Amino acid sequence: MVNSKREKHLGKATGDVLKAIAVLQTGSADAAPSEIALRTGTSRAFVTKMLKAMHAEGLVAYEAYRGVRLTEEGERLATELSRHHRLLERFLTDILGFSPESAHQEAERLEHVISEEFEERLAAFLNHPTTCPHGSPIPNADGSWPK
């Protein structure tokens, strides 16, 4: 199977920071590093170090003592992680019988390591669900969000 998405596996910490920024940045407001630290359960110093590295990789627009925003690539990867997470939650609850809370915890661990081929096959196996067990939309395979 040829995959149109570029394979890029992120470390758990990077993925968690990307997802936190995606949730915290709103409209024209940037995400604050202190809020990212709270959301990820890490220190502000750790987040600052991560943001500098992620800025160098082109995943975020970051300037010290200012907020941070995802770049187009960062947004794509955060959306991809959300898709992985929500498909995994759906599988874990619907097929394996996990509670939604337990499925969330398992999906947090697994979302960072599945391949794009696995994601595609999982979506097909589940008949392309549109929401996770919590009712949140599952991003489309092309990275767009359902209407």
Side-chain angles (χ1 to χ4, degrees), residues 1-9 73 75-85 87 111 114-121 123 138-144:
M1 175 180 294
V2 175
N3 195 340
S4 61
K5 287 189 199 176
R6 191 174 94 227
E7 288 278 339
K8 178 164 185 164
H9 291 284
E73 177 68 0
E75 184 74 42
R76 185 189 71 75
L77 291 171
T79 301
E80 187 175 313
L81 277 175
S82 291
R83 178 170 169 78
H84 289 183
H85 182 94
L87 285 169
E111 68 190 19
I114 68 170
S115 69
E116 298 313 302
E117 182 179 1
F118 183 91
E119 171 202 310
E120 291 170 7
R121 289 178 182 222
I138 296 174
N140 298 315
D142 67 2
S144 64

Side-chain angles (χ1 to χ4, degrees), residues 130-146:
T130 58
T131 61
C132 75
H134 308 284
S136 297
I138 296 174
N140 298 315
D142 67 2
S144 64
W145 287 90

Side-chain angles (χ1 to χ4, degrees), residues 21-43:
I21 296 168
V23 169
L24 294 168
Q25 71 181 22
T26 57
S28 62
D30 293 349
S34 58
E35 293 174 340
I36 297 166
L38 273 173
R39 188 163 187 91
T40 58
T42 58
S43 70

Side-chain angles (χ1 to χ4, degrees), residues 1-141:
M1 175 180 294
V2 175
N3 195 340
S4 61
K5 287 189 199 176
R6 191 174 94 227
E7 288 278 339
K8 178 164 185 164
H9 291 284
L10 303 172
K12 181 176 177 359
T14 302
D16 289 348
V17 170
L18 282 174
K19 289 190 324 179
I21 296 168
V23 169
L24 294 168
Q25 71 181 22
T26 57
S28 62
D30 293 349
S34 58
E35 293 174 340
I36 297 166
L38 273 173
R39 188 163 187 91
T40 58
T42 58
S43 70
R44 171 82 198 274
F46 176 78
V47 169
T48 299
K49 181 180 175 185
M50 290 293 301
L51 293 177
K52 288 177 181 177
M54 292 166 69
H55 178 76
E57 291 180 44
L59 301 177
V60 299
Y62 171 69
E63 187 178 333
Y65 308 107
R66 313 271 283 172
V68 61
R69 292 196 73 72
L70 296 175
T71 62
E72 187 175 309
E73 177 68 0
E75 184 74 42
R76 185 189 71 75
L77 291 171
T79 301
E80 187 175 313
L81 277 175
S82 291
R83 178 170 169 78
H84 289 183
H85 182 94
R86 293 173 183 176
L87 285 169
L88 286 162
E89 283 183 323
R90 180 57 63 197
F91 174 76
L92 292 165
T93 56
D94 293 2
I95 306 304
L96 298 184
F98 279 71
S99 70
E101 297 76 27
S102 294
H104 175 75
Q105 294 305 317
E106 288 295 326
E108 279 293 317
R109 288 187 279 276
L110 295 169
E111 68 190 19
H112 304 281
V113 296
I114 68 170
S115 69
E116 298 313 302
E117 182 179 1
F118 183 91
E119 171 202 310
E120 291 170 7
R121 289 178 182 222
L122 182 59
F125 177 80
L126 295 169
N127 199 27
H128 303 283
T130 58
T131 61
C132 75
H134 308 284
S136 297
I138 296 174
N140 298 315

